[in-house]
Amino acid sequence: MGEDQQYGSMMADPFVFKSPIEGKEPDRPFARGCRSSIESSWCGDTKDHNAMVAATPAAVVQCASTRRGREADRMAGALSVGGFVLMLAGLVALILRGAVLSTLPDVIVLQALAVALMVWARIVFGRRSFHATASPTGGGLVTSGPYRFIRHPIYTAVCLFTWACVIGHPTMFSFSMATLVTAGALVRMVTEEGLLLRRYPEYASYARRTRRMVPYVF
């Protein structure tokens, strides 16, 4: 087979890659997925080859973009699970050490405010379920109640409650666990915002007029 014929056979179907040496077709799941996407765009029963050729570049770009988006979502989900583990570990450690409750008035007030904020946010958020991967839920963005001022009132409440524990039990252990909880919450916030932005483009304008945890500050 001549060189022109050899490469001509390779271009006959843009999704079948034949090795010039062995003449074998390697397994290309991504190519097959794009091919299915393109074939689904053919019109009628005739499957016009010219329409397929015209649709190929756009379909390939769309398929690659979708694949990159899914990979980014999986990475964000894994990071958010790590953040959740950090938060849970810090809280459990404080409970096991007995460094949560205190008789100090300021600690009681701060923890009561934290619980109230969490309950308020949970009521406004509605019956949506909790996801360890911080995956956005359906139903649109929630921008009322405490979400009108801060984007993450539940994480804020957890951090406020935890740092109140440090005031009531000022030890290096309590400080370390509160830092761990805060670090996990920040990881969750950042990854969750990325996921929300990809699902709800209007989240960008919402983020510009609000703060993460402290109104008008942070």
Side-chain angles (χ1 to χ4, degrees):
M1 179 183 295
E3 183 178 357
D4 293 338
Q5 292 178 333
Q6 184 183 63
Y7 285 95
S9 64
M10 293 171 62
M11 295 302 295
D13 189 337
F15 297 100
V16 176
F17 298 87
K18 294 185 178 180
S19 171
I21 299 176
E22 301 178 2
K24 296 182 180 179
E25 298 179 6
D27 185 19
R28 299 290 180 103
F30 173 61
R32 289 199 305 272
C34 292
R35 184 180 191 177
S36 298
S37 175
I38 294 170
E39 288 180 349
S40 65
S41 66
W42 291 355
C43 301
D45 297 330
T46 59
K47 292 186 177 180
D48 183 14
H49 180 70
N50 292 331
M52 183 276 290
V53 172
T56 297
V60 170
V61 171
Q62 182 180 6
C63 189
S65 177
T66 301
R67 186 181 183 184
R68 286 194 298 268
R70 289 175 179 173
E71 291 176 350
D73 287 350
R74 283 195 294 269
M75 178 64 70
L79 288 173
S80 66
V81 170
F84 174 71
V85 171
L86 291 178
M87 294 179 66
L88 186 61
L91 288 170
V92 170
L94 287 172
I95 293 173
L96 293 178
R97 183 64 70 92
V100 175
L101 301 179
S102 173
T103 58
L104 294 177
D106 51 351
V107 174
I108 295 174
V109 170
L110 289 175
Q111 290 182 337
L113 289 174
V115 172
L117 177 60
M118 179 175 290
V119 172
W120 184 23
R122 188 67 250 184
I123 291 174
V124 173
F125 201 65
R127 298 175 59 88
R128 307 182 189 200
S129 59
F130 169 80
H131 298 281
T133 58
S135 301
T137 56
L141 291 176
V142 178
T143 59
S144 60
Y147 293 92
R148 181 182 177 184
F149 308 101
I150 54 178
R151 300 194 293 274
H152 304 281
I154 294 179
Y155 297 145
T156 301
V158 173
C159 291
L160 177 60
F161 188 93
T162 305
W163 284 103
C165 296
V166 178
I167 298 175
H169 304 271
T171 64
M172 184 57 66
F173 177 82
S174 299
F175 179 83
S176 300
M177 293 304 101
T179 302
L180 192 67
V181 171
T182 304
L186 289 173
V187 170
R188 295 275 296 183
M189 292 179 205
V190 173
T191 54
E192 187 176 284
E193 288 179 357
L195 292 169
L196 283 167
L197 186 59
R198 279 190 285 275
R199 179 158 185 175
Y200 300 109
E202 63 271 23
Y203 187 82
S205 61
Y206 167 69
R208 284 194 294 269
R209 65 176 185 269
T210 56
R211 294 294 180 265
R212 283 196 175 106
M213 300 180 73
V214 182
Y216 311 107
V217 179
F218 173 74

